[in-house]
């Protein structure tokens, strides 16, 4: 029907126990998770990891796909499935690949409020993820979020790198990823 099924794996568990559920995304964009599954720590890796190369972590599958395309499919991107899972997935990835720099790709939930006040869940949880892995010993970590051009017709739902890709083109995502890679190189020079 034009939908996709995405495996939700715990990469830190033995292969025979790793699959915890699936996310289905229907052709109309409706997302569903396996009923009753344990989501924390689950991820879906797009691409293969090379020791010492950067690893990107993003919330959603479409976001991760846009990031992979912007990187010319050179680096892996882990799909964390939601903002609150970013810190858990980042810790697991760090544990598995301690020599790989991490790039945490936040959603920019610019229109979200909590108790009537601005509350950017995506950016907050990306910072939590960054702080968490740095507390665990990571030193090559950067965080990024989509920066839309002034004048871009952005709705409250336009929050992630896939939305940036759709509204401003893949070059805008590529530019953001290039800045993140340059930050990693700068950190390496001073580490």
């Amino acid at each position: 029907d034009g939908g996709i099924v995405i495996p939700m794996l715990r990469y830190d568990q033995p292969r025979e126990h790793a699959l915890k559920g699936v996310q289905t995304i229907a052709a109309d964009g409706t997302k569903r998770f396996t009923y009753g599954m344990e989501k924390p720590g689950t991820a879906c890796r797009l691409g293969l990891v090379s020791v010492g190369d950067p690893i990107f972590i993003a919330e959603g599958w479409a976001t991760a796909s846009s990031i992979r395309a912007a990187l010319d499919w050179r680096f892996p991107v882990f799909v964390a499935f939601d903002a609150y899972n970013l810190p858990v997935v980042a810790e697991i990835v760090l544990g598995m690949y301690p020599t790989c720099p991490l790039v945490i790709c936040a959603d920019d939930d610019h229109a979200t409020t909590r108790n009537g006040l601005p509350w950017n869940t995506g950016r907050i949880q990306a910072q939590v993820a960054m702080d968490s892995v740095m507390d665990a010993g990571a030193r090559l970590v950067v965080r990024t979020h989509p920066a839309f051009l002034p004048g871009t017709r952005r709705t409250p739902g336009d929050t992630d790198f896939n939305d940036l890709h759709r509204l401003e083109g893949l070059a805008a995502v590529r530019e953001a990823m290039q800045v993140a890679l340059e930050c990693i190189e700068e950190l390496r020079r001073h580490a």
Side-chain angles (χ1 to χ4, degrees):
D1 66 354
I4 60 172
V5 178
I6 305 162
M8 300 177 74
L9 304 164
R10 282 292 302 254
Y11 287 92
D12 60 334
Q13 294 185 358
R15 187 179 192 106
E16 63 272 14
H17 300 291
L19 182 64
K20 299 300 178 186
V22 298
Q23 179 186 43
T24 58
I25 304 177
D28 67 0
T30 304
K31 299 175 185 175
R32 298 207 189 290
F33 295 102
T34 302
Y35 179 77
M37 67 164 287
E38 294 181 25
K39 189 183 350 175
T42 60
C44 179
R45 186 189 69 225
L46 307 180
L48 299 175
V49 175
S50 293
V51 175
D53 281 349
I55 296 173
F56 293 73
I57 305 170
E59 285 187 37
W61 182 85
T63 302
S65 296
S66 288
I67 291 167
R68 280 272 295 157
L71 293 165
D72 297 322
W73 298 274
R74 292 177 300 157
F75 302 108
V77 183
F78 280 79
V79 178
F81 298 107
D82 67 39
Y84 294 101
N85 205 25
L86 277 174
V88 183
V89 171
E91 288 179 22
I92 289 170
V93 171
L94 174 66
M96 293 172 52
Y97 306 105
T99 63
C100 290
L102 300 180
V103 179
I104 300 167
C105 302
D107 283 11
D108 180 26
D109 299 315
H110 63 102
T112 305
T113 60
R114 182 187 230 182
N115 299 324
L117 299 172
W119 187 262
N120 196 319
T121 305
R123 290 175 69 173
I124 291 168
Q125 289 303 310
Q127 184 64 49
V128 169
M130 184 175 178
D131 292 346
S132 176
V133 294
M134 290 184 76
D135 287 348
R139 291 296 168 250
L140 296 175
V141 185
V142 298
R143 149 180 85 75
T144 185
H145 66 275
F148 293 82
L149 290 172
T152 297
R153 292 182 176 252
R154 185 177 179 197
T155 69
D158 294 326
T159 61
D160 59 39
F161 283 106
N162 181 254
D163 297 317
L164 182 65
H165 180 183
R166 182 175 46 80
L167 294 171
E168 296 183 17
L170 191 58
V173 181
R174 185 173 286 121
E175 183 178 326
M177 295 306 111
Q178 187 58 45
V179 169
L181 289 169
E182 289 169 6
C183 288
I184 290 289
E185 288 310 309
E186 188 67 23
L187 287 171
R188 276 188 169 145
R189 279 195 286 277
H190 298 288

